[in-house]
Amino acid sequence: MTRIDFTSSSQPPLIPIPPPTTLQEIRTSKLRPFGPVLSAIDKQTRPGQLYVSTTGLEDDEHDLTFHGGIDKAIHQYCADHYSYWADRFPEARARFIPGGFGENLVADGWNEQTICIGDRVRIGPQDSLRTGGRNGCVLEVSLPRQPCFKLNQRFGIKNFAPLTHQEAKTGWYYRVVEEGWIQEGMEIRVIHRSHPRWSIARLHHYVHRDKTDLAVTQHLMAMEVLGGECKDVFIDRWRAHQEKEAAAKRPPETWRQFRVVSHTAETPRIVRLELEAVRRSAPSPSAILPGSHARLKFPSGLRRAYSIVHGDTDRFTLGVALDERSRGGSSYIHQTLKQGDTVLVASVIRQGLAIDNMASHHIFIAGGIGITALIAMMNRLKDTNQDYSLHYAVRSTTDVAFQPLLADLQPHVTIYDKSQGQRLDIVKILRNRIWNSHVYVCGPQRMIDAVIQTAADVDMSSDEVHYELFNGEDAGGDPFTVDVVGPSRKLEGLQVGAEQPLLEVVRDAGFEIGSSCEVGNCGTCRVSVRCGRVLHRGTALMESEQRSEMLACVSRGIGHIVIEVGE
């Protein structure tokens, strides 16, 4: 990996060590019901001496999904911040009191501007620097707190959690360097500073706002005292940069050969397809993000995207419904493909629908085969002790797919059997939603349209509604021609076949178009349309944007169009 120097010219001044402060309160809690989930955010004061071990304070429990662990043993919050929040949100003033953020240590004076990553902090009797046992403990600042949706719930303010890190008022975590006893009234003192330019506030800036400084990214990747959760942000960012650079120089899309391990009738209309890579990944397969899909390439050259129910990058399960208007994708899978056959799968597995972790409750609405896009997402929420509900509409109970997996999600699943007159009432579901709910829908376009319209009618904001068409959009249609205008060249009369996406044709011609989901949801592949009529597909463009742009992955020209792209 090429190292970029983090030069002194880009560094801010050294941050002075703040004067000692006083530990006003110690707070701990057991895990208790908190709205729809378990949480230890509601901490109570603990008078007297408490022991600090490497896992934190005695009798303090952590929801290990989001909090706890060696790097998050103890949380401190600046008591001075409460008056700031109370002035900003007077309607919630009564809630902004010490302990509101679920902190273990309450103290004033120190804040995210004055405390630095790696600071060694002693808590102990005044006029002494002895540590251990009755002389107190030594802590090391390891991470800024990454607020979760529970803060929204706690203070009754939507999107309050992301606001706290935008304002760099989240508090910080400690790991325990030396165990010992502490109590309120003890002195808190910084005894060593290893990174005097890296305040918590500055770190917040690069985690959440400036995501393009590669020198900073590499510097923080290598910072030993930075906790793993935050360090991983920068590692992932560097990897994304490398992948972007590689994409700019990439050869044509690569495909892996997969063998059909099983080909089973899941329902009369749905085939469950289990695929396994002919050549395994080295050193091991990667996990697949919930809401992802695989792109399959058939012998005819046809490409189709199908949602992944579960698995990893070497072996995964799909559910494929037979489309009555199929032009070769689902009909090939149902009628020709069989166990033991091989099929080509795009090397990159893409996520089309993602969980919003700022929601307090997650509502899933599925129609027919749309359930395949949502199962992995609900399993992730189940595994992380988050609250969710599924409303699943089918023609009849014989059309319920992946019943054993749905049984594992009970009692959160409601199935609506159309043959029995059962109706999925979208208006009722969204109108009676839990506060700070997000809705995710996958199914026929009419279902998606109904959810979008109903959400607007019941005052849900657009960022609380997430949707994906079942199996992704069909990119096929009537052939058309396209002129492509780039910064330095122009190609005229490119042919886009009936089963080819525009994205593929333009890339094969040597023009670079970014993409991510490739099913019309994310908008990464949007291109400018200079002239011509477009058959718009996908969900990523607003109606006003469709006048001058199109999605290259799924939308199609009518007759002849002219588009403008970068190179």
Side-chain angles (χ1 to χ4, degrees):
M1 180 176 68
T2 303
R3 175 66 57 186
I4 301 174
D5 289 335
F6 189 71
T7 60
S8 59
S9 62
S10 63
Q11 295 181 10
L14 299 176
I15 299 170
I17 292 177
T21 185
T22 300
L23 179 58
Q24 297 174 4
E25 295 178 0
I26 305 174
R27 289 175 166 267
T28 66
S29 176
K30 299 289 188 181
L31 284 170
R32 300 188 180 94
F34 181 73
V37 297
L38 289 175
S39 175
I41 195 172
D42 189 19
K43 298 188 185 300
Q44 305 301 311
T45 55
R46 294 289 303 277
Q49 290 193 329
L50 274 78
Y51 193 72
V52 178
S53 70
T54 54
T55 56
L57 288 159
E58 59 180 317
D59 296 326
D60 190 45
E61 295 184 344
H62 303 276
D63 175 2
L64 295 178
T65 304
F66 300 103
H67 309 289
I70 299 301
D71 285 340
K72 299 180 179 180
I74 293 178
H75 177 226
Q76 181 172 337
Y77 195 71
C78 177
D80 300 328
H81 290 340
Y82 286 106
S83 59
Y84 170 86
W85 293 122
D87 290 342
R88 186 156 181 178
F89 298 101
E91 70 278 11
R93 180 178 296 275
R95 302 186 189 98
F96 287 116
I97 57 176
F101 275 69
E103 67 267 32
N104 300 114
L105 308 181
V106 177
D108 55 21
W110 292 7
N111 59 44
E112 294 80 359
Q113 304 285 345
T114 60
I115 291 301
C116 294
I117 287 294
D119 279 358
R120 290 282 178 100
V121 172
R122 172 189 179 268
I123 303 179
Q126 295 184 6
D127 303 320
S128 171
L129 292 180
R130 298 177 64 185
T131 55
R134 301 293 174 182
N135 292 305
C137 66
V138 177
L139 311 176
E140 184 174 72
V141 178
S142 53
L143 288 166
R145 181 181 179 178
Q146 297 299 320
C148 69
F149 68 93
K150 296 173 188 175
L151 286 182
N152 304 337
Q153 197 85 10
R154 174 79 168 190
F155 296 107
I157 303 169
K158 284 187 177 181
N159 294 319
F160 179 65
L163 181 61
T164 64
H165 60 62
Q166 290 169 19
E167 298 289 330
K169 297 184 188 304
T170 64
W172 54 91
Y173 282 113
Y174 294 107
R175 62 175 66 91
V176 178
V177 175
E178 186 173 356
E179 299 180 351
W181 295 84
I182 65 172
Q183 66 181 71
E184 74 275 14
M186 279 187 166
E187 178 186 76
I188 310 180
R189 176 188 292 271
V190 176
I191 59 175
H192 175 72
R193 173 157 285 178
S194 57
H195 295 279
R197 303 182 198 275
W198 278 103
S199 67
I200 296 294
R202 187 180 179 215
L203 186 60
H204 269 299
H205 174 77
Y206 286 105
V207 170
H208 299 290
R209 289 187 288 281
D210 186 347
K211 302 180 181 181
T212 61
D213 192 320
L214 298 179
V216 167
T217 296
Q218 289 194 296
H219 180 74
L220 293 170
M221 284 166 53
M223 187 181 286
E224 291 185 3
V225 294
L226 185 61
E229 177 185 78
C230 199
K231 188 179 293 186
D232 286 346
V233 170
F234 297 102
I235 291 173
D236 290 343
R237 190 173 296 167
W238 178 253
R239 285 175 179 164
H241 163 71
Q242 290 180 308
E243 290 171 1
K244 184 177 180 180
E245 282 196 331
K249 306 171 184 176
R250 67 178 179 183
E253 185 171 29
T254 58
W255 301 82
R256 299 176 67 196
Q257 196 172 42
F258 277 70
R259 180 171 290 106
V260 179
V261 177
S262 67
H263 182 286
T264 309
E266 181 70 23
T267 75
R269 297 179 57 250
I270 298 174
V271 161
R272 175 163 49 87
L273 197 63
E274 187 170 351
L275 303 177
E276 184 174 35
V278 173
R279 298 185 64 180
R280 306 285 290 178
S281 302
S284 60
S286 301
I288 292 176
L289 294 172
S292 294
H293 55 264
R295 294 180 66 238
L296 274 58
K297 183 177 180 180
F298 303 111
S300 64
L302 189 68
R303 296 166 172 83
R304 289 291 182 267
Y306 298 100
S307 297
I308 295 173
V309 180
H310 58 76
D312 57 40
T313 52
D314 276 356
R315 182 165 177 153
F316 53 81
T317 298
L318 307 176
V320 181
L322 181 60
D323 188 341
E324 296 168 354
R325 299 170 298 169
S326 174
R327 290 199 298 270
S330 63
S331 61
Y332 176 83
I333 289 174
H334 275 252
Q335 299 163 11
T336 304
L337 197 65
K338 60 184 182 302
Q339 184 175 343
D341 288 350
T342 59
V343 64
L344 293 177
V345 178
S347 298
V348 178
I349 301 293
R350 303 187 186 277
Q351 186 180 40
L353 201 58
I355 297 167
D356 192 314
N357 288 315
M358 287 299 107
S360 304
H361 177 68
H362 305 264
I363 302 168
F364 293 91
I365 298 176
I369 192 59
I371 190 65
T372 59
L374 307 180
I375 289 175
M377 299 174 72
M378 290 183 289
N379 272 316
R380 175 63 59 86
L381 293 170
K382 175 187 174 184
D383 292 343
T384 55
N385 300 314
Q386 297 190 61
D387 194 45
Y388 63 93
S389 59
L390 168 65
H391 301 271
Y392 181 21
V394 293
R395 297 178 183 180
S396 71
T397 54
T398 59
D399 286 327
V400 177
F402 301 100
Q403 294 191 41
L405 298 180
L406 294 179
D408 291 340
L409 299 172
Q410 290 292 4
H412 302 274
V413 177
T414 304
I415 296 175
Y416 303 83
D417 182 348
K418 184 178 180 181
S419 69
Q420 297 298 314
Q422 297 170 0
R423 176 174 170 266
L424 189 156
D425 190 336
I426 295 172
V427 174
K428 181 179 179 181
I429 291 168
L430 298 189
R431 181 172 288 152
N432 297 334
R433 68 192 184 279
I434 295 172
W435 182 86
N436 195 29
S437 291
H438 282 226
V439 61
Y440 309 78
V441 56
C442 186
Q445 185 66 55
R446 63 182 182 277
M447 173 181 279
I448 294 175
D449 292 342
V451 169
I452 294 171
Q453 183 59 55
T454 303
D457 293 343
V458 299
D459 296 323
M460 293 184 75
S461 63
S462 59
D463 61 0
E464 294 173 333
V465 183
H466 315 268
Y467 43 92
E468 181 175 59
L469 294 172
F470 63 93
N471 288 345
E473 276 277 11
D474 185 343
D478 293 335
F480 64 99
T481 57
V482 58
D483 294 348
V484 185
V485 180
S488 60
R489 62 191 177 112
K490 177 180 179 180
L491 288 181
E492 297 182 346
L494 294 178
Q495 302 286 327
V496 183
E499 304 298 344
Q500 289 181 292
L502 174 63
L503 178 66
E504 175 188 317
V505 171
V506 175
R507 281 178 170 172
D508 288 347
F511 293 91
E512 178 59 33
I513 300 179
S515 67
S516 180
C517 75
E518 297 194 7
V519 291
N521 286 343
C522 69
T524 306
C525 68
R526 63 173 66 196
V527 296
S528 297
V529 180
R530 283 193 172 186
C531 67
R533 295 170 57 209
V534 174
L535 174 61
H536 288 286
R537 293 171 173 168
T539 58
L541 294 182
M542 294 185 294
E543 186 174 347
S544 60
E545 294 173 317
Q546 292 178 357
R547 299 189 189 105
S548 60
E549 295 180 289
M550 68 184 292
L551 301 175
C553 66
V554 293
S555 296
R556 302 188 67 79
I558 299 174
H560 179 77
I561 61 173
V562 180
I563 64 171
E564 184 175 353
V565 301
E567 285 189 272

